Amino acid sequence: MGHRTHAAQLLFVFVVSIFAPTAHAAVYRCGAIYQDVPCADGSTIQAEDSRSPQQQAETARAVHKDAAMAEALHKQRIQQEAQLAQQQQAAHKVQLAQEAEAAKDAKAQAALAAKAEAERQKALKPHRIKTRKTPLPKASAAKAR
């Protein structure tokens, strides 16, 4: 918005200066500053516009053309910035989704590793030999049959 305002102000100043009746107000040079108020050690400067009306009109058209181009470039830059912001937001969403998927995969891998470790630990435990509570029949009783 600042560029548009600045371009409009420049256009206004040039148009007013071109089409305003030429009042021969004195201009004073006070060091590096030019003003319409006299100052100590200031010098009077001739500030009449010596251009023809055609030259003044050409200047006004050029100023208008430059202001229109500045406005078009400003709009283009705003559109490009908005498009870039959308692209960055989309890329950020993709990145977040990838990170979430990677975290999900890591969690699943950790669960599989924990399960495999539990099974390995179970396999390493010594097995107890179970004893029978009822005695085996004696060998002599088995032969009698």
Side-chain angles (χ1 to χ4, degrees):
M1 188 74 165
H3 295 293
R4 182 177 181 189
T5 305
H6 183 67
Q9 289 172 346
L10 283 175
L11 180 63
F12 176 76
V13 167
F14 280 115
V15 170
V16 168
S17 68
I18 289 171
F19 296 112
T22 49
H24 296 285
V27 176
Y28 301 93
R29 180 176 180 188
C30 302
I33 299 172
Y34 293 88
Q35 59 189 31
D36 61 351
V37 179
C39 60
D41 297 330
S43 59
T44 305
I45 304 293
Q46 285 288 1
E48 292 181 25
D49 191 356
S50 61
R51 298 176 298 163
S52 70
Q54 182 183 3
Q55 291 172 327
Q56 292 175 356
E58 287 175 13
T59 301
R61 283 192 297 273
V63 167
H64 180 69
K65 181 181 174 185
D66 289 347
M69 182 177 284
E71 181 65 24
L73 289 172
H74 176 70
K75 286 180 181 178
Q76 181 182 12
R77 182 181 58 83
I78 295 298
Q79 289 174 344
Q80 288 173 345
E81 288 175 355
Q83 186 178 23
L84 178 62
Q86 288 175 346
Q87 290 172 350
Q88 288 174 339
Q89 187 177 17
H92 184 66
K93 285 181 181 179
V94 168
Q95 182 183 3
L96 290 176
Q98 289 173 343
E99 289 173 357
E101 186 67 27
K104 181 180 170 184
D105 289 346
K107 187 176 180 180
Q109 287 293 331
L112 287 174
K115 184 177 178 182
E117 180 63 20
E119 289 177 5
R120 189 180 75 76
Q121 289 295 329
K122 185 178 178 183
L124 290 177
K125 286 184 180 179
H127 295 287
R128 289 189 188 180
I129 300 176
K130 295 184 181 180
T131 57
R132 289 185 116 168
K133 294 185 180 182
T134 56
L136 287 174
K138 293 191 179 183
S140 59
K143 287 184 184 179
R145 291 191 186 174

